[in-house]
Amino acid sequence: MQNDRFDAIIIPKELDNAVKRGIQAGIRQQKKQRQTKRIIQYGTLAAAALLAVCLGILFASTPSLAANLPIIGRIFAQVQDKVSYKGDFDSAADTVVEIPATEVVTDSVNNIAENPYTQTSNGLTVTVSEINCSAQALYIALCIENEEDFPADFIKTKTEDYILDYDILSLQSIDYFNIAGMEKEKRGVENGVPTPYYIEGEFVDARTFAGIIRVPLEGAAFPAQFTYYLEISDIYGELSAYEEETLTDPDGNVVTLQNPLTKHYTGTWNFALDITRKEDGEQVVEVNETNDDGLGIGSVKKTDFEITAQLLVPEGVHAYDYVIVICDADGQILDTQGDNAEVFSTYRRNTDTVYVYICDYMQYMDELKGSPEKIAAGALFQTKVRF
């Protein structure tokens, strides 16, 4: 999914605090001012979510379908090529739960007593189905089952003109690790660490959502084995009704946003997952080259699912003034891996050889994006990397 597909879309308010920062980034982008790429990433995701709401849906539900399909233990295989962070996760996944959640006995307070990976709260059952962890990211497959139908407004992929091939549910959550510096009290948006705030996937029927969460692994030295904690307190989606909100951007310009109303399912779904990182597929090529201005690439890292390049900038220069673009062996631009513009997907692409380009951010947005030929011609630095 290329991020420029959503440039002209009004960005909604109601995702979470991290995405709210993306709203302001979207406004500033319209003014063509510089800002960090990571803030823009949240604005892009928010734009995609609003697009889903604007298009609306007509959905004929089949409540009994989930009971007849082997959803649990097969979510990766079912949706891994439909989400924005694609990958062959099913090939080497750790299956956590194989039995349907309906076969697990609940205790007196309506929580799953015998299986910690399947938890029910306020009518919603969340099951951690499979896990796949590479050197760069953790991928978690979840099944969310409702005792009643989800609002039809949630299901956008039944709309004829809907350009995405997956649906989105939003989350309020906190995640943390049993790793020094990544404890619960040091995580969260208030500490500058966005935690999982959405899940991409598909509605198997009107009451069942199967999806994947991507958790980037960065900011710490991760061991081969660790425990990941995910605590979800709210699962929600956007409706077709709107309310207006007026915002003022940093330049004092007034902008009116159309914010979709939302339907929330609050509860407690807390998971502790034992993770084993699979680093067999990780490859790192040291480049360590710069142009005359000191702008260049340090290293390029590739796993079975994604590829990143280390940007080198001279002292006193801001990294967010530049954008990295990676093309495959055929010279075609790689898709970004989800909402992270700095990570590129290798899914079903020839990346034995890649071409890495560094462009001026404003020139990229105004003139170069979307065209491999223009990017190659306008790049401030470029290099060819063979794995």
Side-chain angles (χ1 to χ4, degrees), residues 202-215:
E202 68 176 9
F203 285 90
V204 178
D205 58 47
R207 299 186 178 186
T208 308
F209 182 85
I212 301 173
I213 293 175
R214 179 185 184 273
V215 181

Side-chain angles (χ1 to χ4, degrees), residues 8 68 189:
N68 299 322
V189 177

